[in-house]
Amino acid sequence: MAVYAFVFPGQGSQSVGMGSELAQAFPAARAVFEEVNEALGERLSKTIFEGPTEALTSTENTQPALMAVSMAVMRVLETEGGLDLASKVTLLAGHSLGEYAALAAGRAFSIPDAARLLRLRGQAMQKAVPAGQGGMAAIIGGTLGQIQEICAQAGEGSILEIANDNGGGQIVISGSMDAIDKAVALAKDMKIKRALKLPVSAPFHCSLMQPAEDVMAEALAKADIAAPIVPVIANVTAERETDADAIRSNLTKQVTGRVRWRESVEAMSSAGIDTFVEIGAGKVLSGLIRRIDPEVSTLSVGTPADIESLLKSF
């Protein structure tokens, strides 16, 4: 019998039109998008379904939008498919903003609260560093040790840190733009397979995000957070968590901290997970997971057909 973890995607998985088939097919999915619209005081669903792309990729929209699509899938699985999350799924996890979706799925906080927190998180991260002063780069084919050495050399006198350890030889660095440029050149000198700057609007998950972390610390201190009904693997520790105060602390640290995705997947595999189900938009996490552990199965669930297929497997 399969042992399941549900995982929730982060920034980069968004596309205009995501979730629209769900909304057309299921009243339960439409209700989730309406809850998010009401929480934010605007029709974010229109941007999700119709674009334009520039509006959807603005981080203050992307973050609640991806959560909304993931939660629309969850709501359909539970209400239409009769899925009992606590008895069928062993662990939950999400990549960066996806951790909020994982926690909402586990009932740690409500969908409207998750939407408001993610809108604030996106705005605070965007404001933390003036446009053009910070950036991110993906380095593919280097070891963690090599990337740490690159960060130490290229970041001397400025800030450059590992933002995401995504596994499968993919590590993302984040920091001041001059340091990013030096790091990309250095990686090429070191004959690392590939190093490329990412089209992002801010240097996420590094200490330049401290102003945003301060904003989120204040917001999360006031947020109503409960123990999730299924343990959630935290990005910053790669360990399972059910304590509400620890979740609050982890989400705060996550703004400047490293997303330990490789370690998170390894921890889930070690706990006996053999089937990872990506809930929401895209298939990014499924690809990363298969590179981290080729022995496990992955499923991506974002459409009515995907939902039907998953429910048959339980």
Side-chain angles (χ1 to χ4, degrees):
M1 186 134 168
V3 182
Y4 291 93
F6 278 12
V7 296
F8 298 82
Q11 208 145 324
S13 291
Q14 72 276 2
S15 61
V16 171
M18 61 183 183
S20 59
E21 275 189 79
L22 287 172
Q24 286 164 16
F26 300 109
R30 287 198 295 278
V32 169
F33 290 112
E34 285 305 323
E35 281 179 51
V36 170
N37 289 342
E38 193 172 325
L40 299 179
E42 65 175 81
R43 305 233 16 111
L44 182 64
S45 59
K46 190 172 191 300
T47 303
I48 297 171
F49 301 151
E50 300 172 22
T53 300
E54 300 74 39
L56 183 61
T57 52
S58 170
T59 190
E60 67 177 274
N61 290 331
T62 307
Q63 296 198 27
L66 282 165
M67 182 278 302
V69 175
S70 290
M71 294 313 298
V73 173
M74 285 301 305
R75 184 74 65 82
V76 173
L77 285 170
E78 290 174 317
T79 60
E80 309 278 337
L83 172 70
D84 178 26
L85 187 72
S87 67
K88 294 288 188 185
V89 177
T90 302
L91 291 168
L92 303 170
H95 191 285
S96 188
L97 76 90
E99 190 169 343
Y100 284 77
L103 288 161
R107 314 282 198 279
F109 39 54
S110 69
I111 292 171
D113 282 352
R116 284 186 286 263
L117 285 166
L118 285 170
R119 166 55 58 83
L120 180 65
R121 184 177 181 268
Q123 290 172 335
M125 290 170 103
Q126 193 60 64
K127 286 177 191 165
V129 180
Q133 290 191 16
M136 301 178 80
I139 301 184
I140 297 158
T143 65
L144 192 61
Q146 283 177 312
I147 314 307
Q148 285 168 331
E149 186 186 330
I150 286 171
C151 286
Q153 286 187 41
E156 197 173 344
S158 58
I159 287 172
L160 186 63
E161 296 160 14
I162 292 174
N164 303 350
D165 178 5
N166 283 334
Q170 183 192 113
I171 292 173
V172 177
I173 58 174
S174 182
S176 59
M177 194 60 87
D178 60 334
I180 290 285
D181 289 333
K182 285 181 199 167
V184 169
L186 199 54
K188 286 172 183 166
D189 291 343
M190 290 170 71
K191 303 290 190 285
I192 286 170
K193 185 177 173 186
R194 201 162 172 222
L196 66 157
K197 285 163 73 170
L198 296 176
V200 295
S201 52
F204 304 128
H205 297 292
C206 78
S207 51
L208 289 172
M209 288 284 113
Q210 188 60 51
E213 182 174 304
D214 295 342
V215 168
M216 292 312 295
E218 188 178 336
L220 287 160
K222 298 173 190 167
D224 187 11
I225 300 177
I229 59 172
V230 175
V232 177
I233 302 288
N235 280 191
V236 294
T237 62
E239 293 174 0
R240 65 176 70 200
E241 198 52 76
T242 54
D243 178 77
D245 287 333
I247 287 166
R248 213 181 294 276
S249 172
N250 288 336
L251 288 177
T252 301
K253 292 173 185 168
Q254 195 219 58
V255 178
T256 59
R258 183 186 305 178
V259 176
R260 299 178 180 271
W261 188 250
R262 175 184 56 82
E263 295 167 74
S264 296
V265 172
E266 288 170 351
M268 288 186 274
S269 293
S270 296
I273 301 298
D274 57 23
T275 306
F276 289 81
V277 182
E278 183 171 9
I279 301 287
K283 299 181 179 182
V284 171
L285 296 186
S286 296
L288 293 176
I289 289 163
R290 283 195 299 273
R291 286 200 286 275
I292 295 164
D293 186 350
E295 301 298 311
V296 301
S297 298
T298 60
L299 299 165
S300 301
V301 181
T303 67
D306 295 337
I307 286 172
E308 191 178 336
S309 177
L310 175 65
L311 290 169
K312 283 178 184 169
S313 73
F314 281 119

